[in-house]
Amino acid sequence: MGAGASVPDKLDEATCKTIAGDKFDQAKFDESKDADGNITKEQLMAFAPAEEAAAPAEEATAPAEEAAAPAEEAAAPAEEAAAPASAAVEAVTIPLTGLQEAIKAAQEAGLTPLVVDSSEDHKVDTFFSYGSGVCVMDAKMIGLKVAKKEATQEESLDEARKKLVFAMKKGLSLIVSMQQASPPFSDWLDNDDAFPATEVFTNSGKGLAGDSGQAFADKLFKPEDTADTAGMAFSNDDFNVVLTTFFDKDSYAEFLFDDGMGLSKFGPSLFQPIIIQAEE
């Protein structure tokens, strides 16, 4: 694993903005930074909104009758009580040469491939950038433009929509390139009229492909997208979705799925992590 691909122990402002995107909190960063202008990885993670901690007070003071649930509910089978709501799928580790086969296996299993590539030269994203049959969406930049106030959420959503529509129309693999960032798919970058992230990330986006995706095509396609198809919107059967990240195998889950992070809304159970072996 290249040292440059993992998350360093000390993070400067630019790196924090890249990872956190529009969730970057300037005030908290300024308050926490050391004399060199850095914070720790743990401090950055602590900035993420603690949704559970922010639960309404009335939930904490629920009526006594709710707290005194029937004994039979409390005695539910241990395996049900212990089963996580969205258990992570076991990661597979492969050489780069096995990538296409691993993606196909994940999609056949109804999962969305999440390719974890911490190589210093980002071999996977480079491979896709030169490949055919794909449409690469720079999700890091889409989120970062909003964080840096270089674009509005509406403008960035439309940028994501255009990539999604192009891939649907042409039957391409939409490569969601997150790089070393955690784009806000659990927040504003999940929009039914522009980028329905829940559907995009479920079953490799197959709910958007072919006849089953017609309702989404009718909503997402604009007149300029149907100018060459007699005004008709349709999605190709071959459309599918693959996610990529530069985080390493020890930190990708934390920075993508922990509370407040980019994929926390969906949970890891939708994804098949595919870890690319480091070259020796």
Side-chain angles (χ1 to χ4, degrees):
M1 178 181 67
S6 59
V7 180
D9 293 329
K10 291 286 188 176
L11 307 168
D12 61 17
E13 183 174 330
T15 302
C16 289
K17 284 182 176 178
T18 298
I19 295 174
D22 68 336
K23 291 185 179 297
F24 176 75
D25 191 318
Q26 186 70 58
K28 287 183 179 179
F29 178 86
D30 291 341
E31 179 183 339
S32 304
K33 66 183 179 182
D34 60 20
D36 296 322
N38 299 318
I39 66 172
T40 65
K41 181 175 73 171
E42 290 71 22
Q43 286 174 314
L44 176 63
M45 294 301 296
F47 293 170
E51 294 149 345
E52 295 181 3
E58 57 268 22
E59 293 184 14
T61 57
E65 59 269 19
E66 294 184 13
E72 59 269 20
E73 293 184 14
E79 59 272 18
E80 292 184 18
S86 58
V89 178
E90 184 176 357
V92 296
T93 301
I94 61 163
L96 182 62
T97 54
L99 179 60
Q100 296 288 32
E101 184 178 346
I103 287 174
K104 180 180 178 182
Q107 292 176 336
E108 289 178 347
L111 298 170
T112 300
L114 170 58
V115 184
V116 180
D117 172 27
S118 59
S119 60
E120 290 186 355
D121 50 354
H122 313 310
K123 291 179 173 60
V124 169
D125 273 35
T126 300
F127 168 77
F128 283 130
S129 69
Y130 288 102
S132 60
V134 302
C135 173
V136 178
M137 179 180 117
D138 190 340
K140 183 194 85 169
M141 188 55 63
I142 286 174
L144 191 57
K145 282 181 179 178
V146 174
K148 296 170 69 175
K149 303 188 185 306
E150 295 175 355
T152 65
Q153 291 183 4
E154 290 73 19
E155 290 169 338
S156 288
L157 273 168
D158 195 55
E159 184 177 348
R161 183 198 66 80
K162 289 176 179 176
K163 290 287 188 179
L164 174 60
V165 164
F166 183 76
M168 290 171 63
K169 183 176 179 179
K170 300 296 185 181
L172 305 175
S173 295
L174 178 67
I175 309 300
V176 181
S177 172
M178 298 182 290
Q179 302 162 54
Q180 200 162 347
S182 191
F185 292 116
S186 293
D187 193 9
W188 60 267
L189 200 43
D190 180 12
N191 183 289
D192 285 345
D193 295 321
F195 194 87
T198 301
E199 198 67 34
V200 172
F201 296 150
T202 299
N203 190 21
S204 194
K206 283 302 183 181
L208 297 173
D211 291 342
S212 60
Q214 188 59 52
F216 288 98
D218 290 339
K219 180 179 290 189
L220 295 170
F221 284 47
K222 293 187 176 182
E224 59 265 30
D225 303 314
T226 60
D228 59 345
T229 55
M232 296 184 293
F234 65 91
S235 179
N236 192 294
D237 288 331
D238 292 332
F239 169 75
N240 64 91
V241 177
V242 176
L243 281 69
T244 67
T245 179
F246 293 171
F247 289 125
D248 63 35
K249 62 184 178 63
D250 298 318
S251 62
Y252 78 89
E254 179 182 20
F255 279 98
L256 296 178
F257 296 110
D258 274 10
D259 285 346
M261 304 311 284
L263 299 180
S264 61
K265 177 179 180 178
F266 315 103
S269 63
L270 296 181
F271 304 92
Q272 172 62 70
I274 301 171
I275 297 172
I276 304 301
Q277 287 176 347
E279 294 183 348
E280 298 182 359

